[in-house]
Amino acid sequence: MPPRQPQQHPLTRLIAAISLMTCLTLTMALPPKADAQSTTANAPQVQVKGASFARTIEGDRRYDMLGHGLFTYMVWDAYAGAYYQAAGFPRPAPLSDVPRQLVLHYFHAIDAEDFAEATTRTVREQVNEVSFASVRSELSRLTDSYRDVQPGDRYALRWSGEQLTLSLNGTPLFQSPNLELAIAMFAIWLGSDPLDDGFRDALLGR
């Protein structure tokens, strides 16, 4: 799929990605530069711009990495990400009830208020009015849980099959059993109209 033209991205999407340069336009996400770990299938981790991601996450179950990528603004690297699904679900299914995780490693500081405002507006774009009304309350609770991030911090979004969890550096900040909210949140990066087509495709291993 060709990259979307910058002017098609609303300003709120730029803020959702990173609040460093709200006046800049979004460029396509670039795949990670090849290195020994990211190109070796047997390596336990992959490297994206110096950020390490395990190929497998153990916890309530085993999650296997489907893909990883680097999200950029112009010449600024914003964050790296990796997408995982529960073992036994080889086909990408980010907008379903399949247990899955998205991990984002940030290279720059971002304020919690920027996350909150932009997440609400972006989720509204991902769903119809009826669906948005059904998740509004839980979405508000999720955005209230955001914390400021510093370089090296990681947000992780996980749907266990029963529970949506948002964590910062391994510490849970929010939980909800709302599957509609989980689908809307994952759609920000992995849906049919994501923040960036190239980043989504890299995360899905395309």
Side-chain angles (χ1 to χ4, degrees):
M1 186 179 296
R4 189 176 303 162
Q5 293 299 314
Q7 61 267 29
Q8 292 177 316
H9 287 275
L11 180 58
T12 56
R13 291 192 170 196
L14 303 186
I15 298 174
I18 183 173
S19 62
L20 290 177
M21 301 282 181
T22 55
C23 63
L24 294 178
T25 54
L26 184 66
T27 61
M28 65 178 292
L30 300 177
K33 296 180 180 178
D35 56 48
Q37 287 185 293
S38 64
T39 57
T40 303
N42 294 329
Q45 296 185 330
V46 297
Q47 295 282 335
V48 184
K49 188 66 179 181
S52 298
F53 295 93
R55 290 189 181 275
T56 300
I57 296 177
E58 301 287 351
D60 57 317
R61 64 180 76 220
R62 194 184 86 194
Y63 295 83
D64 295 329
M65 180 188 292
L66 268 65
H68 56 283
L70 178 66
F71 194 99
T72 66
Y73 267 140
M74 304 296 282
V75 296
W76 291 273
D77 297 324
Y79 51 78
Y83 174 67
Y84 303 79
Q85 281 187 186
F89 296 90
R91 295 181 63 84
L95 308 184
S96 69
D97 62 352
V98 171
R100 56 201 185 275
Q101 297 194 42
L102 175 65
V103 181
L104 300 176
H105 177 108
Y106 293 87
F107 298 123
H108 305 280
I110 307 177
D111 292 336
E113 290 182 0
D114 290 333
F115 275 123
E117 178 183 357
T119 296
T120 300
R121 295 183 182 181
T122 308
V123 167
R124 185 188 288 272
E125 295 173 3
Q126 296 290 339
V127 301
N128 59 42
E129 286 300 317
V130 174
S131 295
F132 183 76
S134 70
V135 303
R136 183 194 295 268
S137 177
E138 286 293 84
L139 177 61
S140 178
R141 198 164 65 84
L142 183 152
T143 58
D144 286 345
S145 76
Y146 280 138
R147 300 292 182 268
D148 297 345
V149 300
Q150 300 299 321
D153 284 347
R154 293 188 175 197
Y155 265 121
L157 191 67
R158 176 170 64 91
W159 172 253
S160 68
E162 298 179 352
Q163 192 95 316
L164 176 68
T165 302
L166 176 71
S167 300
L168 178 62
N169 298 328
T171 300
L173 302 177
F174 168 86
Q175 290 185 320
S176 171
N178 193 315
L179 175 58
E180 281 190 274
L181 177 61
I183 291 174
M185 287 298 297
F186 277 91
I188 293 174
W189 295 274
L190 299 166
S192 59
D193 186 26
L195 288 174
D196 185 84
D197 295 340
F199 187 58
R200 174 199 59 195
D201 292 348
L203 293 176
L204 296 180
R206 295 177 179 172

